[in-house]
Amino acid sequence: MVNPLRVETPDESELIKGHERWLGGDKQALTRWRSRISELGEEHESAVAEAVVCWILLEHCAQVRLGEICGEGPDFHCSSNGDSRAVEVTNLSRGPLNEWYGFDSSELPPTGIGGLKLIHERVFGKVRGKATKQTQAAKTTAPFVLAVTTQHRTGAMEIARQLTASFLLTGQQSAVMWPSSPNGEKVPPTMLASGRHSAFHREHGSDSESLVPIRPEISGLLLVGIQSSCVEMIGILNPWTVKPIDSLGIAGLPTARVSGEDPNHFTVCWES
């Protein structure tokens, strides 16, 4: 079992104050962000999500600067040890997820694989919406990381889970589990790929045995569950990106990648 990276965070009021201080050098950006944080509902949640991701980047990267200029480009640019990343934040809001799950964010969630399937499908929709020629991914030459966040109680517990990441990477909601290798060591599950809801490939027409890489402009995904006093995170690397990276640049982050030469049958490997 792969556990997400769990990090304690300041409370929301402190995060807001800290982000205001960080934005202080850019009066236009500060004004736009204050306008959003003062709203209710989705705009407020989205602004909080940006502050949380910025806080995470500041904790792990040597340099973080604002990337978006007048609504154009990714939200942030960050760099460490000569490696740069462009990071765009997109948030799954409580309201739509309440409708999607069929219960309120404050309620206790049901258990089982059904919820995991639901959150993975919603993340997939966010990835698809951010990967067009008109979006931020196409407006930077740096490796592009899409951070998908949620503050929904159930969504925050499920988004940064091993199965959610595996579903998004392979598109397959089942795994062939080999309990041990010939020498007795545990081996990773072999996933039978299917393009139905994979973030990075699709089936070639009616041929379910042949897969076509898609969204090559996205280098990886950072899945972030925002809770009251902490965040939980997990990462995914796009194996077919045109902007490859070795990691998402966050120390200790469990990150899924694929190995194997056969694009239709590959192994999900995890690194931290």
Side-chain angles (χ1 to χ4, degrees), residues 4-12 15 48 52 55-56 150-153 156-157 159-161 224-233:
L5 176 62
R6 184 182 179 92
V7 180
E8 292 186 3
T9 60
D11 62 30
E12 183 173 308
L15 279 168
V48 169
V52 170
W55 181 87
I56 293 168
T150 187
Q151 296 152 65
H152 188 280
R153 182 177 180 181
M157 291 189 291
I159 194 170
R161 289 293 178 265
V224 184
I226 302 172
Q227 302 181 30
S228 60
S229 60
C230 72
V231 294
E232 292 188 338
M233 301 177 282

Side-chain angles (χ1 to χ4, degrees), residues 13 22 32 45 47 69 99 119 125 174 184 189-190 206 211 219 224 227 232 254:
S13 63
W22 186 78
R32 289 197 304 269
E45 289 182 47
I69 301 174
E99 296 179 11
I119 195 68
S174 63
T190 297
S206 60
L211 301 178
S219 303
V224 184
Q227 302 181 30
E232 292 188 338

Side-chain angles (χ1 to χ4, degrees), residues 63-144:
Q63 183 180 31
V64 181
R65 61 183 176 85
L66 196 63
E68 195 170 48
I69 301 174
C70 297
E72 298 290 328
D75 292 316
F76 307 107
H77 283 283
C78 56
S79 59
S80 293
N81 300 321
D83 293 330
S84 63
R85 307 276 190 276
V87 180
E88 172 70 11
V89 183
T90 185
N91 186 64
L92 289 163
S93 300
R94 291 187 182 96
L97 279 184
N98 286 343
E99 296 179 11
W100 183 253
Y101 279 121
F103 57 88
D104 191 80
S105 176
S106 62
E107 298 175 3
L108 290 174
T111 58
I113 203 165
L116 281 166
K117 177 183 177 183
L118 289 172
I119 195 68
H120 131 261
E121 291 180 357
R122 296 300 289 183
V123 174
F124 171 81
K126 285 290 187 178
V127 175
R128 181 174 55 187
K130 286 290 183 178
T132 69
K133 292 182 179 180
Q134 288 74 40
T135 59
Q136 289 87 340
K139 295 175 181 177
T140 177
T141 57
F144 181 87

